Amino acid sequence: MNSYPVDPPERLASLTTGRATSFLTEGVRAGQDEIPQVAVVRAATPLDGYAVRWSTAPVREILDEAMDRFADARTDADAWLAPRLHATVRMSRAEAADPGLWNFLALAVAPDYVLWRHVPAGQSEEAAPKKVNAARFVGPHYSQAFARLWWSAEMFRDGPDYGPAVVACGNQDMINTALRLDAVDHKPTALAMARVLQQWTESGTNRLGDRVNALCTAVNTAGSTLMYEVIAPDDAPDHAARAAWIDEAETAASVPWERLPDGPDDGSARRTSCSALTRMFEQFAAEAPLRDRARAGATAD
Amino acid sequence: MEESEEFGVWLGRQLRRTQLSQADFAQRLGLTRAAVSAWVTGRARPRTEMMAKIAEVLGTDLATLVTRDTDTGGARPIGWYHRTAHLDGGREYGNAAAFAFDADLAVLAREVTQNSLDERLDHDRPVRVRFTLHELTGEHLNSFLTALKWDEVAPHYEAAAQSRQKVARVLAEGLRALREESSLLLLRVDDYNASGLTGPEYADGRYAAVVRRQLDSHKRDDRAGGSYGLGKATLWAASRLGLVLMNSTLSEAHEGRTERRVVGRLDLPWREVDGVAYAGPAWLGEPDTEKEHQGVSRSWWADERVVADLCLERDGDDPGTSFLVVGAHDAAGSSDSLESMRDALDQALADNFWAAMTSGRSTPAMLDASVRALRNGETVVPDRRVDPVERHPALTRALRAHLDGETVAELTSAGQVAATEVPLAVPTPRVSGKRSTTHEHRAVLLVTAADGTDQEHSRVICMRGTRMRVMARRPRGLGMGVDPFQAVLLAGSATGRDDAVTRAAEAFLRAAEPPEHDKWGATEDLTATYANAPRRLTEFNAAMDKALHAVIGRRTDGQREDGPEVLRKLLRLDVPTPGGGRRGPGQPAVDRVTGRVDADGAWTLDVTLTVPRRDERWQMKPVAKFDVRSGGRPSLAWAALEPLENCEVVGDRLLVAPDVRSARFRGVTAVESHPVAAAMAGVIVDVQQAREVSA
Amino acid sequence: MSTVYAYPTLVGKVEATVKGAHIDGKPLQLSLISRSERVVALHQVEREDWTEGVLDLEVSVPAGEVDDGPWARVGCFAVLSEGATNTRVVTRLDKQRDDSVWRGEVRVHRSCHLARATLDVCVVGTYGGIDGRVIGTTDAPWVVDLHGRTPTRQRELDIVEVDFRDGPEEWLRRFADAPWLIDTEREQPTILLNTSFEGLSPLLSGAHGPLEKATAGLLAAQIAADAWSTMFHSALADLEFDEDGTPHLPGGWQGAVLRSLLPDVFPELPLAEALAEAHSRRADGRGWGEVQSRIQFAAARRGTLPKNLTAAIRAVSRAQGGARR
């Protein structure tokens, strides 16, 4: 397994996907070859300014803790890490939309975490080494190892409360499927989905993955004829509060490990809107057929 | 109040009208002829006690002698005077000026209204111009023709219509329409708050310019586009009978009077009537009593009954003129119906005079125009003001913002108007021995976003003088993709300024206009009068483009790397594929889908396919999916597939019969395959090609 | 392919117009708004640090149809969204009683957008007891471009002339001998022309005389063919699919490239089928080699290689003919 970079860069930078891809050899993805650190750092563009939030050390710290804490249950690391990554690398959505930042984290700061978290679960020790999907290093926001966590926290948090994000990240299908949908761009929709998931988790419902996927499909389908924003109105986020929260990163202490950090206090979603959608989604879930994921993609045959 | 006519002039005319010689008159008063002569020539005035006696001899009262606003001796008979042919035998086939114009109502509206604008009297209120289309039939027509003394002119018309000239054909058509259709269309143009036809009968003045001369442009002030110049000929051109009657209320008294100065003028080609050759015009009026014009019909001061009979009554005593075009027609228009002619006038007025008709909050409009239509004195289309906003909303908005001082330097919203200045270096006129200098005139350029309904846009409408439109200039060098705009350039007096440089600019630009007043170019007049004039005009145009670009041009900061043109053009993403029209044999496709959700919650879909005709059967797989907000669409299973037309169903396949162009089937979706209730989703149907096709 | 709904939808057109815009309270020049292209170039010259833009939006909906229609509580909403930042801002528009259009202010928060946001308008109403039904949308969205200097839609590829050997971009050094490269990893595919390749730029930009011009044309066609082929592969590698595996025709330049070349690659198939065929051949390798030739042909044709080659051959033969005489 790839080891901790010997001399990780101190500050985050942006590495274009094209450049990043050129370093992703088979050997690197299999964890056999080292990534040429100097070349990566040279190929990257430093981020503007000297803000503390672009320091790599706090990120390394929580990643190391996660790898230690969830050594036996790697997927469980997501729920712990997502809010803490979000509260550590504090930034605006515009900044987070730059894939260069995530590419740099994956290749220069923590390639070891990407390999640790995403190397396929192995049953056999065959000749061909198991490789991490390149999309975990340089992929879209719902695939890339760090972007998926940060954006899950961003889309499913309720103002400063990361609770719903923890619920969402506790289910792999929720991150993998829901995060791809435009529908979760509407906060009450995202929160209602998390709430339905939470009810299922608490009541020990079976076939949770199938249910989450069915729910996502239903919400996405009905979203083509319904405007959730009209059924469940919400207020615009408080951009100033968020900007202040980002600025606080200069002086904020490291994120707590045992309790949830506080997110930006940019406004909680309207309760009535979340409840209305939760009721609607519960009904969708009750009516939707559960499809066996093994058969999905070949349903019509 | 207006001044009374000189006593001597008045008296002289009364003597002629009553055909009394000065000697006879003196005898009746018991005076010498010399005394009367002194009065007539203005060298002396009669004593007060003599006035009563004079009144008695002339058969009038003392008051008339004081006011001198009426003639004595009763009305002289109104009649036609035809100019006899030149002794040299030269034949004129018609008013050259009139026949330079085709009968075009739009042109008439433009020229006549421009004249009215040029003759505006009180500059604190608009000149009011009203167009009336008036159709006469039956008794109304007869009474009009009688008032016109039609019987006197009829032989002349018949003779003139015999000739083989173009004019004759128009006349013949006019006479035929009058005879066979028993109807006559009058077009009346009234202006109020204008000068009226002032001045003497024959010598220089507005009256003579219109009535007596053909090409005279009686220029009163240097803003005018040549009032009563060539433009007046459009009135005669619009008459199939070459006949125009006038009734004017004068702004300055003539013969001590101002109201109801009436005259008619007829333009006919050379003709012979009862063995006498006539050439050129004829006038309807009172026979003149002055020696050198003995017998010529001159304008007369008509009474109210006569103007009513001639359909020439005016509203009130506001000065101005009413022109009556007898036998009006519009060769350029689609038809001679009242409505279409009304529309043509309305449009022409709005297009040419939207600027003059625009007012600001504290600036009155220069012009107020309206159009109406009557039939035998009854209203058919009520008098309706021409509203410049209707046809030219954006242009009107631009000018109004300028008048109200509400322009901005930079456009930031669609309703705004930007104003900027365009310099024009006006050369001083050539004076021998002196070097020419220039003075800078600053024209005003107004720019605003075009309105969605604008027909003409993205041109600079250039104006001067009374905001008369000279041309619509296409700007250069704006670059691609500029949004449609409206721009108005106010130059010379149109800027609203009135100083020496403004007047010099006005004169310079007028000199740059050809007789049509439709562009600024290097005319002979211009190059003869000014040094370097063509260069100044070129610079003016360039300055216009530059100013416009500064307001609406796209700013490129030069940072974009465009790359070589030769390569760039091969990499355009929006060009249709070369040979895109070439297609394979074609595939079956869904043409139309209708559907509803049935009681069980299933979608029942009726699908029509278009099928390329071929001899083999098409085999395909119908697929239904639910539409989604984003990402992949879920597929639905069919509970039933049922052939309706030209096809059969085998399993989940559809077999379309050979040699047909369309097929129809019905599909019912399986409810258990719906990821969400049917009513919540939109459904899409497609057909996928089954790869192997076997008949 | 049209969608069938279980409720009535509007037939008439919904049209949106951005009438003006402000950035941090300062009005935006109108020349940065193109109504014909439906693009707003939202930027303030020499100012990158703005916070909020506001667009004045005016929307016309088929009023008669709405008034007489079966829907209740009809409302009109502006939807500003950008996929890259997962941002979707919905703004309710208002209509005055005697006004014929809906109006509203759409706020564009700088921190929520990266490059290009799209602005759609949805008409929503209640039907059959269900609120929030989308009954009509604008046919084509407006684009709010945060970087564009001019309000135009991207119509051509970027071409950048850069020094591969000694230029600022270190990664290009190993391509120092290449006359050009095609970079599809950027937001917009870019042709990089190597200025250290002697004679290349002068030939492309300033060819004189028929022979030089013909050569420049041939070279441009070669580069263009290369670019089209590279972009085609790149676009094909990044598709979205329906559950049953049917690929979606993407938007953006990828869609334009596929739409442009597929009819030449699979002339016998309609576009959707051609896309599915290209994808499946690429995925399972069945006859993929043969498809390469077709792509090569289509790209060369799109880059007008045959035409420019003919012109070059004629120019050469004319030049030699002239020399013989």
Side-chain angles (χ1 to χ4, degrees):
Chain A
M1 191 107 323
N2 203 339
S3 61
Y4 186 99
V6 181
D7 183 20
E10 282 177 26
R11 304 186 57 75
L12 288 174
S14 178
L15 179 68
T16 67
T17 302
R19 302 300 86 71
T21 307
S22 66
F23 297 114
L24 287 177
T25 60
E26 301 263 307
V28 166
R29 284 163 52 204
Q32 293 167 332
D33 297 344
E34 299 289 334
I35 293 173
Q37 288 297 320
V38 173
V40 168
V41 172
R42 265 204 196 134
T45 315
L47 299 179
D48 284 341
Y50 295 94
V52 171
R53 61 195 178 117
W54 301 138
S55 302
T56 58
V59 185
R60 266 302 338 168
E61 192 181 46
I62 52 171
L63 294 178
D64 288 335
E65 173 62 19
M67 285 190 275
D68 188 40
R69 215 175 248 243
F70 301 98
D72 300 328
R74 296 170 190 176
T75 52
D76 291 351
D78 292 350
W80 187 85
L81 205 45
R84 289 170 177 84
L85 179 69
H86 188 266
T88 300
V89 189
R90 298 187 182 186
M91 54 188 169
S92 69
R93 287 190 178 191
E95 289 166 328
D98 171 21
L101 179 84
W102 305 118
N103 296 340
F104 187 82
L105 261 179
L107 272 88
V109 179
D112 54 328
Y113 171 83
V114 181
L115 291 163
W116 173 81
R117 172 65 185 83
H118 292 292
V119 84
Q123 306 106 328
S124 62
E125 286 292 323
E126 284 174 24
K130 288 169 290 185
K131 289 175 300 187
V132 170
N133 189 332
R136 299 300 185 182
F137 285 96
V138 296
H141 78 278
Y142 49 82
S143 297
Q144 208 271 353
F146 302 105
R148 66 196 282 272
L149 298 177
W150 193 96
W151 281 107
S152 294
E154 174 68 16
M155 305 316 287
F156 288 99
R157 73 185 168 85
D158 185 13
D161 178 13
Y162 283 117
V166 172
V167 171
C169 292
N171 184 290
Q172 290 299 306
D173 291 282
M174 199 68 163
I175 309 191
N176 295 339
T177 311
L179 202 52
R180 306 171 70 135
L181 305 180
D182 284 0
V184 298
D185 296 353
H186 179 230
K187 188 66 80 177
T189 300
L191 295 180
M193 290 174 76
R195 201 178 289 181
V196 172
L197 170 63
Q198 187 175 15
Q199 288 163 7
W200 285 337
T201 316
E202 284 169 0
S203 61
T205 307
N206 64 349
R207 294 178 71 189
L208 206 53
D210 290 344
R211 284 181 199 282
V212 167
N213 280 322
L215 175 64
C216 287
T217 305
V219 169
N220 192 27
T221 305
S224 71
T225 70
L226 290 177
M227 199 141 162
Y228 295 130
E229 287 87 350
V230 175
I231 303 166
D234 195 24
D235 305 299
D238 181 346
H239 296 286
R242 180 180 188 132
W245 180 78
I246 292 173
D247 289 342
E248 279 165 24
E250 291 297 312
T251 52
S254 298
V255 287
W257 287 357
E258 303 305 333
R259 64 167 177 83
L260 279 177
D262 289 333
D265 193 2
D266 57 355
S268 302
R270 290 194 202 170
R271 298 294 119 196
T272 48
S273 290
C274 294
S275 307
L277 286 182
T278 304
R279 280 195 301 278
M280 178 181 270
F281 294 169
E282 281 167 350
Q283 197 192 338
F284 285 178
E287 290 170 354
L290 285 192
R291 298 204 228 181
D292 192 334
R293 261 180 300 169
R295 281 190 66 245
T299 41
D301 287 333
Chain B
M1 273 318 286
E2 64 247 10
E3 283 173 32
S4 301
E5 198 177 6
E6 284 292 328
F7 179 79
V9 177
W10 180 84
L11 179 62
R13 190 169 65 252
Q14 308 314 316
L15 294 180
R16 286 195 303 278
R17 288 175 65 89
T18 47
Q19 295 182 330
L20 260 179
S21 68
Q22 290 184 5
D24 289 347
F25 187 61
Q27 195 188 353
R28 291 198 195 181
L29 294 172
L31 294 168
T32 60
R33 187 187 161 277
V36 172
S37 175
W39 293 343
V40 169
T41 54
R43 279 175 288 135
R45 294 281 298 265
R47 287 194 312 277
T48 317
E49 57 267 33
M50 184 56 69
M51 294 297 261
K53 235 178 151 184
I54 293 172
E56 192 194 316
V57 172
L58 289 176
T60 182
D61 52 26
L62 197 55
T64 302
L65 256 69
V66 177
T67 58
R68 297 184 292 281
D69 58 358
T70 328
D71 287 331
T72 62
R76 310 245 320 152
I78 301 306
W80 284 96
Y81 165 80
H82 297 269
R83 183 190 282 171
T84 47
H86 300 299
L87 292 176
D88 62 13
R91 292 180 176 188
E92 284 174 12
Y93 286 100
N95 181 341
F99 301 120
F101 291 91
D102 278 331
D104 183 335
L105 280 195
V107 176
L108 176 140
R110 186 184 77 208
E111 296 295 329
V112 173
T113 308
Q114 185 61 48
N115 283 344
S116 297
L117 262 171
D118 293 340
E119 296 293 343
R120 178 156 70 129
L121 197 60
D122 175 358
H123 280 239
D124 292 331
R125 60 190 176 102
V127 59
R128 187 167 132 53
V129 178
R130 182 175 64 192
F131 286 78
T132 307
L133 288 157
H134 192 174
E135 192 177 61
L136 292 180
T137 55
E139 267 319 297
H140 289 88
L141 176 58
N142 290 337
S143 128
F144 175 76
L145 290 177
T146 308
L148 192 60
K149 314 275 179 201
W150 181 257
D151 293 344
E152 286 182 31
V153 276
H156 286 266
Y157 274 122
E158 295 301 338
Q162 300 300 317
S163 108
R164 259 173 273 134
Q165 304 301 319
K166 173 188 164 194
V167 196
R169 284 198 298 278
V170 175
L171 284 173
E173 174 57 23
L175 294 172
R176 188 202 58 78
L178 181 60
R179 215 170 25 238
E180 293 176 10
E181 292 159 24
S182 298
S183 88
L184 183 64
L185 184 63
L186 309 177
L187 168 62
R188 196 175 136 178
V189 190
D190 306 313
D191 64 16
Y192 294 92
N193 185 31
S195 305
L197 298 176
T198 59
E201 190 67 33
Y202 306 100
D204 283 355
R206 294 189 183 86
Y207 172 85
V210 174
V211 179
R212 296 294 175 192
R213 303 175 195 176
Q214 288 176 355
L215 295 172
D216 183 20
S217 165
H218 169 77
K219 287 177 193 167
R220 179 170 54 96
D221 72 43
D222 55 14
R223 268 184 297 212
S227 60
Y228 299 136
L230 267 178
K232 64 177 183 263
T234 57
L235 286 164
W236 277 267
S239 166
R240 269 177 175 158
L241 300 171
L243 174 56
V244 177
L245 305 180
M246 290 150 262
N247 171 16
S248 192
T249 303
L250 313 190
S251 56
E252 296 158 14
H254 175 64
E255 297 179 349
R257 306 179 58 162
T258 54
E259 285 195 66
R260 293 187 300 280
R261 184 179 198 177
V262 176
V263 71
R265 177 185 164 123
L266 164 63
D267 271 313
L268 284 180
W270 185 95
R271 69 254 175 213
E272 205 174 285
V273 177
D274 295 337
V276 183
Y278 297 92
W283 289 271
L284 175 67
E286 198 181 69
D288 209 326
T289 50
E290 282 184 48
K291 247 186 250 122
E292 64 268 43
H293 300 293
Q294 194 75 46
V296 173
S297 293
R298 47 154 288 163
S299 60
W300 80 101
W301 302 99
D303 62 29
E304 288 174 18
R305 193 187 49 78
V306 171
V307 290
D309 288 345
L310 288 173
C311 301
L312 270 172
E313 309 111 300
R314 289 177 56 81
D315 301 340
D317 58 0
D318 205 4
T321 307
S322 298
F323 290 99
L324 190 73
V325 177
V326 180
H329 76 131
D330 186 12
S334 52
S335 80
D336 278 356
S337 81
L338 279 187
E339 286 73 16
S340 80
M341 289 172 81
R342 196 214 80 88
D343 291 346
L345 286 169
D346 190 86
Q347 227 176 71
L349 288 166
D351 287 352
N352 289 289
F353 300 102
W354 60 265
M357 289 188 285
T358 298
S359 58
R361 264 194 292 278
S362 57
T363 321
M366 294 174 164
L367 170 71
D368 192 8
S370 64
V371 186
R372 62 174 179 166
L374 308 176
R375 195 169 277 129
N376 293 326
E378 301 289 328
T379 300
V380 182
V381 182
D383 198 16
R384 186 167 163 278
R385 221 185 123 252
V386 180
D387 184 354
V389 178
E390 277 174 26
R391 269 181 72 83
H392 300 286
L395 286 167
T396 311
R397 178 176 70 224
L399 187 59
R400 187 166 286 161
H402 170 67
L403 295 175
D404 291 342
E406 287 174 354
T407 54
V408 296
E410 186 176 270
L411 290 181
T412 58
S413 89
Q416 284 178 329
V417 177
T420 179
E421 290 190 329
V422 179
L424 166 64
V426 186
T428 48
R430 283 183 213 269
V431 182
S432 55
K434 259 186 153 183
R435 274 203 63 200
S436 160
T437 57
T438 63
H439 297 284
E440 188 176 87
H441 168 65
R442 309 199 72 84
V444 178
L445 180 69
L446 305 170
V447 187
T448 190
D451 192 82
T453 57
D454 283 348
Q455 297 289 317
E456 186 188 59
H457 61 78
S458 305
R459 300 279 186 279
V460 183
I461 311 292
C462 300
M463 307 193 144
R464 65 163 181 87
T466 51
R467 292 187 220 136
M468 64 177 252
R469 169 190 165 127
V470 176
M471 61 175 167
R473 191 175 159 270
R474 183 196 292 269
R476 300 213 177 114
L478 276 185
M480 296 291 287
V482 167
D483 251 29
F485 63 89
Q486 291 290 5
V488 184
L489 181 91
L490 302 173
S493 308
T495 55
R497 294 191 290 261
D498 189 21
D499 51 48
V501 177
T502 303
R503 284 193 292 269
E506 181 72 24
F508 176 79
L509 291 173
R510 193 179 51 233
E513 287 166 23
E516 296 80 21
H517 298 290
D518 60 356
K519 63 173 171 250
W520 288 327
T523 59
E524 269 179 48
D525 186 12
L526 187 78
T527 48
T529 316
Y530 299 95
N532 282 333
R535 204 175 87 213
R536 300 301 172 208
L537 282 177
T538 309
E539 288 167 357
F540 189 40
N541 284 337
M544 225 185 278
D545 291 342
K546 193 175 152 209
L548 188 61
H549 187 267
V551 178
I552 48 148
R554 294 271 156 76
R555 285 168 204 191
T556 46
D557 46 17
Q559 281 179 5
R560 237 199 86 183
E561 304 251 350
D562 280 342
E565 166 68 25
V566 61
L567 180 55
R568 212 168 67 226
K569 68 181 184 198
L570 299 180
L571 296 170
R572 291 180 62 91
L573 290 169
D574 59 348
V575 177
T577 317
R582 176 185 49 86
R583 263 293 166 106
Q587 298 286 325
V590 173
D591 178 40
R592 204 170 105 82
V593 184
T594 55
R596 60 184 172 80
V597 178
D598 65 22
D600 300 329
W603 271 100
T604 300
L605 299 160
D606 191 327
V607 184
T608 309
L609 305 175
T610 53
V611 184
R613 184 180 277 174
R614 69 172 189 185
D615 294 337
E616 287 166 282
R617 297 205 293 188
W618 290 98
Q619 180 177 320
M620 66 203 78
K621 196 171 100 176
V623 178
K625 297 173 186 176
F626 272 171
D627 202 4
V628 291
R629 264 275 286 282
S630 63
R633 304 187 193 96
S635 300
L636 309 178
W638 295 111
L641 279 176
E642 181 192 338
L644 292 178
E645 276 171 30
N646 296 338
C647 59
E648 56 184 282
V649 170
V650 177
D652 62 353
R653 311 274 154 148
L654 200 64
L655 292 174
V656 176
D659 202 28
V660 297
R661 289 236 184 106
S662 72
R664 240 179 92 217
F665 68 93
R666 178 176 298 142
V668 180
T669 60
V671 178
E672 64 278 8
S673 72
H674 292 183
V676 71
M680 295 309 235
V683 69
I684 292 167
V685 179
D686 195 8
V687 285
Q688 291 175 352
Q689 278 311 112
R691 301 285 167 225
E692 292 97 70
V693 181
S694 52
Chain C
M1 205 158 40
S2 61
T3 309
V4 187
Y5 294 98
Y7 57 92
T9 53
L10 286 173
V11 178
K13 252 180 165 7
V14 179
E15 283 184 278
T17 311
V18 174
K19 304 294 276 188
H22 287 75
I23 290 184
D24 287 346
K26 192 169 174 261
L28 191 75
Q29 291 163 11
L30 207 55
S31 62
L32 295 175
I33 300 172
S34 169
R35 285 195 265 176
S36 47
E37 300 211 18
R38 290 187 304 280
V39 177
V40 180
L42 196 62
H43 78 99
Q44 203 68 289
V45 178
E46 288 165 29
R47 274 203 59 186
E48 274 298 306
D49 60 340
W50 55 276
T51 314
E52 189 184 63
V54 177
L55 311 177
D56 299 327
L57 188 66
E58 195 177 282
V59 175
S60 67
V61 301
E65 208 188 335
V66 168
D67 293 344
D68 304 339
W71 312 278
R73 297 169 58 192
V74 173
C76 193
F77 296 84
V79 181
L80 180 80
S81 55
E82 184 173 9
T85 56
N86 297 304
T87 294
R88 179 174 152 102
V89 180
V90 174
T91 311
R92 176 183 280 277
L93 305 179
D94 293 318
K95 188 164 96 79
Q96 299 302 317
R97 188 165 292 282
D98 45 359
D99 210 350
S100 61
V101 293
W102 297 74
R103 292 174 212 274
E105 288 188 342
V106 176
R107 289 167 187 277
V108 185
H109 214 272
R110 178 87 158 100
S111 68
C112 290
H113 294 283
L114 182 66
R116 288 160 93 84
T118 54
L119 179 62
D120 294 276
V121 171
C122 292
V123 183
V124 172
T126 300
Y127 181 79
I130 300 174
D131 285 339
R133 287 290 207 190
V134 178
I135 59 173
T137 55
T138 35
D139 290 344
W142 275 72
V143 171
V144 181
D145 188 336
L146 275 70
H147 299 314
R149 297 279 150 195
T150 56
T152 48
R153 293 197 174 228
Q154 196 69 43
R155 289 224 177 89
E156 41 194 57
L157 306 185
D158 288 341
I159 301 171
V160 176
E161 293 182 71
V162 61
D163 186 341
F164 286 16
R165 187 177 300 278
D166 302 311
E169 300 203 49
E170 213 161 320
W171 68 280
L172 284 172
R173 294 199 182 150
R174 65 191 168 100
F175 302 111
D177 293 332
W180 69 81
L181 282 181
I182 288 117
D183 187 355
T184 55
E185 293 294 341
R186 307 190 184 207
E187 193 200 339
Q188 176 77 18
T190 304
I191 315 272
L192 303 168
L193 294 178
N194 187 356
T195 54
S196 67
F197 196 98
E198 281 181 20
L200 179 72
S201 289
L203 178 63
L204 283 173
S205 305
H208 291 294
L211 196 54
E212 261 185 48
K213 285 202 170 115
T215 312
L218 181 59
L219 174 61
Q222 177 66 48
I223 299 173
D226 220 4
W228 284 106
S229 159
T230 308
M231 291 190 293
F232 183 83
H233 281 105
S234 176
L236 201 58
D238 190 20
L239 297 173
E240 277 208 73
F241 306 93
D242 280 345
E243 263 184 12
D244 66 351
T246 309
H248 292 191
L249 195 66
W253 65 265
Q254 289 94 338
V257 169
L258 292 172
R259 244 190 301 273
S260 181
L261 296 197
L262 278 171
D264 270 333
V265 177
F266 295 110
E268 69 281 9
L269 296 179
L271 194 60
E273 295 272 330
L275 180 62
E277 182 67 17
H279 169 71
S280 79
R281 297 261 198 121
R282 179 177 180 276
D284 61 20
R286 168 178 54 92
W288 183 233
E290 186 256 343
V291 175
Q292 294 302 313
S293 320
R294 295 170 178 238
I295 296 170
Q296 196 190 355
F297 160 72
R301 186 189 176 99
R302 190 66 182 76
T304 67
L305 189 58
K307 179 180 153 207
N308 290 18
L309 179 58
T310 303
I313 291 170
R314 298 244 165 98
V316 170
S317 79
R318 256 197 307 277
Q320 288 180 337
R324 270 202 300 276
R325 237 173 269 141

